[in-house]
Amino acid sequence: MPDGLRPYPRRWVPAELDPADVEALARAYDALEARPVADAAELERLILDWDELECLVDEAHSAAFADMTGDTTRADFAERYSVVAERMVPLGEERRARMERRVLDSPAAAGLGPGYGPFLADLRAGASLFHADNVALRAEELRLAHEFERTAGAQRVRVRGDVLPVTRVAPLLESRDRALREEAWRARAAVQLDDADALDGVYDGLLEVRGAVARNAGLSDFREFRFRELRRAYTPEDCLALHDAIERVVVPVTAAEMERRRERLGLDSLRPWDLAADPEGREPLRGPEGAGRLVDGCARVLGRMDPELGALFRGMAGAGLLDLESRPGKASPGFMTLFGLRRLPFVSMSAVGTRRDVDTLLHEAGHSLHYLLARDHPLRLLRFPRLELVETVAMATELLARPHLDEIWRGEELRRALDDRIVAVLALLPFYAMVDAFQHWAYTRPGHSAEERRARWRELEARFRPWTDWTGLEEAMGTGWQFHHVFALPFYYVEYAIAQVAALRIWLASLRDRRGALERFRAALALGATRPLPELFRAAGTEMRFDEAMLREVVRGSMAQVGAGPRG
């Protein structure tokens, strides 16, 4: 096993402490709160030991979530997640607030080194949002989000006699057989519509809980709360401006590509089941069959990109940190979470044999490698930066891997993989904008109805994806917002748009200087969160910008590479 994957030894937290035992966890916090602090050195030791305890709590939550989403049919997984979400997390949040105040109020804090500046700033920001009544509300928020995962994980579709998890529909939508595509799409839509009213009720509950959280913190709405909670260095108005820029710059380019697709397929209009099939009528481009081959192929790609990164990724597979198989009851299509105490990443996805499996695994590998290169920083806050850069790194990993995808595809298949991915990346930008725009609307319109929500999503479809013909499918169209991020990770979507543009800039720079771009990229990963976010973006060779001129430059440069062959 590479040294970079060895679990970290504990420095203070007892090996026998189970964080789901809330009485034992409370005693551990009691011990920290009772410890005397006479000077900066003692305060630093207290901070490091408290940070380790927080890592234990985080790891317990991550592990319970990974188990629960990995098999929503397991009653024991669901029960443990309920204990973690409803008892451990609230206790941890309450006691965290008390420790934050103790550190901030300590006269010894002034004697901490400059490396603690970001840590103390983060504590001050968190303390400004804490309200004791929100502890129970945040537990209820987790419970409601769990309802979505349980519902999604239980969904099954029947297609031509076969009963499949919904994740297995994706390969069918790439079929040359249009009748099969339509049947599969309609079967999935019918199952999702059966659950749509119940999920509307879950979302209503989340809106109510999150609104109360914001009011308790003295803020106007949950959007304001969430922007502060995520420590965003930009405003809602910046996000709305980015939506407009994507509509003006990217939607026309993508619409032109979709019109070419329609013409090549010989169709009068593009229906929802026509968007993934090969426009030339060729057999679907597949990824490696089975999790083992997928891991091996991506490990070879990453190893050619950088031998150390490839070895770390292969080591993750050997350490059981990759759960990639598609199976009944598995809820999430793809995520990376952190086991903070051991300082290890864990990846879950449902590999179904499509070319998208490669993109997804390289993306989650990017998250994982980012964390592994920065895991030696002493505090968890310093090991992983804000989401905007985290997603930039993952998306840049997908793009920087392009010269080495001949480890998976050759010849015409390789050219298809390279060209199709550029078009697909740009086509995602309107989707990112519409998901973010939907949430801005939902959280600033208290008391809106489920039907108003569905109508709003239809409006956003018409604004950002006007090339799809939804005639007769308006009911299914209106529930397209019902997916994991909207329920469980509110306002976590504009990061994808910001990151995708920044990652494209890193990739375009690599076409001019591959070695230099990769060296800058590696160096930025190792910095973790030890620098302000704009500095980290610059270190990676990109910027975090919203202006339309930059977006036009990136789109023009990216589209120029379509048909350029396998060089990048």
Side-chain angles (χ1 to χ4, degrees):
M1 177 184 297
D3 288 341
L5 279 166
R6 296 190 185 283
Y8 257 67
R10 304 185 185 204
R11 60 173 275 134
W12 177 78
V13 171
E16 66 275 10
L17 176 57
D18 178 3
D21 181 347
V22 291
E23 289 78 14
L25 183 61
R27 289 193 294 272
Y29 277 109
D30 289 341
L32 289 172
E33 291 183 28
R35 189 187 298 181
V37 172
D39 54 30
E42 289 185 350
L43 181 60
E44 182 174 22
R45 284 194 292 274
L46 176 68
I47 289 170
L48 291 172
D49 291 346
W50 169 41
D51 188 76
E52 186 180 66
L53 185 60
E54 291 293 317
C55 287
L56 176 71
V57 172
D58 285 351
E59 179 161 331
H61 187 199
S62 294
F65 180 79
D67 285 343
M68 181 269 294
T69 56
D71 190 346
T72 58
T73 68
R74 288 276 298 267
D76 55 334
F77 288 169
E79 181 179 356
R80 182 169 180 87
Y81 184 78
S82 294
V83 170
V84 166
E86 296 170 21
R87 300 187 65 202
M88 184 201 77
V89 171
L91 173 68
E93 187 167 338
E94 181 181 1
R95 302 303 287 267
R96 182 181 307 121
R98 285 159 55 170
M99 288 296 297
E100 286 174 348
R101 284 263 52 102
R102 185 173 187 211
V103 172
L104 291 172
D105 293 343
S106 173
L112 292 171
Y116 280 88
F119 171 76
L120 293 173
D122 196 76
L123 290 196
R124 283 189 286 271
S128 71
L129 292 175
F130 179 77
H131 191 285
D133 290 347
N134 283 346
V135 172
L137 288 172
R138 299 315 290 262
E140 175 64 5
E141 182 184 12
L142 286 175
R143 187 194 69 77
L144 287 168
H146 178 205
E147 279 298 301
F148 171 80
E149 303 295 348
R150 183 191 62 77
T151 301
Q155 288 174 341
R156 303 287 184 275
V157 298
R158 179 179 293 276
V159 181
R160 298 195 175 176
D162 294 326
V163 178
L164 307 169
V166 291
T167 54
R168 300 295 302 184
V169 171
L172 303 180
L173 297 179
E174 297 181 356
S175 172
R176 296 170 63 190
D177 183 344
R178 194 180 190 217
L180 173 59
R181 298 200 307 266
E182 180 177 356
E183 181 183 342
W185 188 93
R186 287 183 180 275
R188 184 179 65 184
V191 168
Q192 291 171 336
L193 279 172
D194 284 343
D195 291 328
D197 288 343
L199 291 179
D200 267 320
V202 171
Y203 197 63
D204 285 336
L206 285 168
L207 290 173
E208 182 178 347
V209 166
R210 289 166 177 163
V213 165
R215 290 191 295 274
N216 287 341
L219 301 177
S220 60
D221 54 47
F222 184 72
R223 179 175 70 172
E224 184 180 0
F225 179 93
R226 188 63 166 155
F227 269 63
R228 293 194 186 189
E229 184 179 40
L230 294 172
R231 316 289 195 263
R232 284 185 168 166
Y234 48 91
T235 67
E237 290 69 30
D238 290 326
C239 296
L240 299 179
L242 180 58
H243 304 164
D244 291 342
I246 289 172
E247 182 181 13
R248 288 191 294 268
V249 175
V250 184
V251 169
V253 172
T254 306
E257 288 296 319
M258 291 299 176
E259 176 59 15
R260 281 189 281 274
R261 162 180 285 273
R262 184 195 65 77
E263 291 174 350
R264 290 170 184 167
L265 288 171
L267 301 174
D268 293 332
S269 64
L270 287 175
R271 303 288 270 166
W273 47 84
D274 296 322
L275 303 176
D278 183 74
E280 307 295 339
R282 296 168 294 193
E283 288 294 336
L285 182 62
R286 295 301 189 195
E289 282 291 338
R293 290 183 178 178
L294 178 62
V295 169
D296 185 62
C298 288
R300 293 196 308 271
V301 169
L302 292 167
R304 278 180 52 193
M305 188 172 106
D306 183 284
E308 182 187 359
L309 299 183
L312 285 171
F313 176 74
R314 201 177 285 278
M316 286 180 62
L321 298 172
L322 303 176
D323 176 15
L324 311 182
E325 299 286 357
S326 173
R327 56 181 177 267
K330 195 172 190 180
S332 177
F335 65 84
M336 188 279 292
T337 191
L338 300 176
F339 295 157
L341 187 65
R342 288 173 285 169
R343 303 194 194 182
L344 294 173
F346 176 84
V347 171
S348 173
M349 61 174 280
S350 296
V352 292
T354 67
R355 63 117 328 125
R356 181 61 186 150
D357 291 346
V358 176
D359 303 321
T360 300
L361 187 52
L362 289 174
H363 182 99
E364 304 305 338
H367 286 319
S368 303
L369 297 169
H370 191 180
Y371 182 74
L372 290 172
L373 290 185
R375 75 177 193 147
D376 289 334
H377 293 298
L379 296 170
R380 64 191 179 119
L381 171 70
L382 302 178
R383 293 176 204 136
F384 226 31
R386 300 293 173 213
L387 297 172
E388 295 81 4
L389 186 68
V390 166
E391 294 299 346
T392 296
V393 166
M395 291 173 170
T397 300
E398 294 180 59
L399 292 165
L400 292 172
R402 287 168 60 85
H404 315 297
L405 290 178
D406 56 353
E407 293 288 349
I408 296 176
W409 298 288
R410 299 291 175 90
E412 177 61 23
E413 287 193 339
L414 177 60
R415 284 187 287 273
R416 284 175 63 188
L418 295 174
D419 287 352
D420 290 353
R421 188 60 186 146
I422 294 175
V423 174
V425 162
L426 294 179
L428 282 170
L429 286 170
F431 182 67
Y432 299 151
M434 63 191 286
V435 174
D436 192 53
F438 174 82
Q439 296 186 90
H440 281 264
W441 178 89
Y443 285 100
T444 57
R445 303 293 193 288
H448 70 259
S449 68
E451 185 46 50
E452 287 175 309
R453 222 161 29 231
R454 298 185 189 195
R456 179 58 176 168
W457 186 258
R458 294 185 195 104
E459 292 171 2
L460 291 169
E461 280 280 4
R463 177 185 175 189
F464 288 104
R465 299 197 295 192
W467 47 81
T468 307
D469 178 3
W470 288 92
T471 304
L473 305 170
E474 289 81 6
E475 189 178 7
M477 179 189 187
T479 61
W481 60 272
Q482 292 186 344
F483 64 97
H484 167 76
H485 286 75
V486 177
F487 282 80
L489 300 169
F491 284 102
Y492 186 175
Y493 232 71
V494 74
E495 289 89 349
Y496 288 131
I498 295 168
Q500 191 67 80
V501 174
L504 285 166
R505 297 190 75 192
I506 291 173
W507 166 59
L508 290 171
S510 77
L511 300 181
R512 300 185 295 271
D513 176 14
R514 184 179 299 173
R515 181 185 298 274
L518 186 58
E519 287 176 355
R520 288 189 297 273
F521 182 68
R522 279 284 312 257
L525 267 59
L527 289 172
T530 59
R531 303 284 191 279
L533 194 58
E535 288 186 26
L536 292 172
F537 269 84
R538 287 193 292 272
T542 189
E543 296 178 79
M544 189 172 74
R545 285 170 53 188
F546 292 83
D547 60 282
E548 186 173 326
M550 183 272 295
L551 189 57
R552 288 189 185 281
E553 174 189 329
V554 169
V555 171
R556 186 165 48 248
S558 300
M559 288 303 295
Q561 295 304 309
V562 175
R567 73 185 187 93

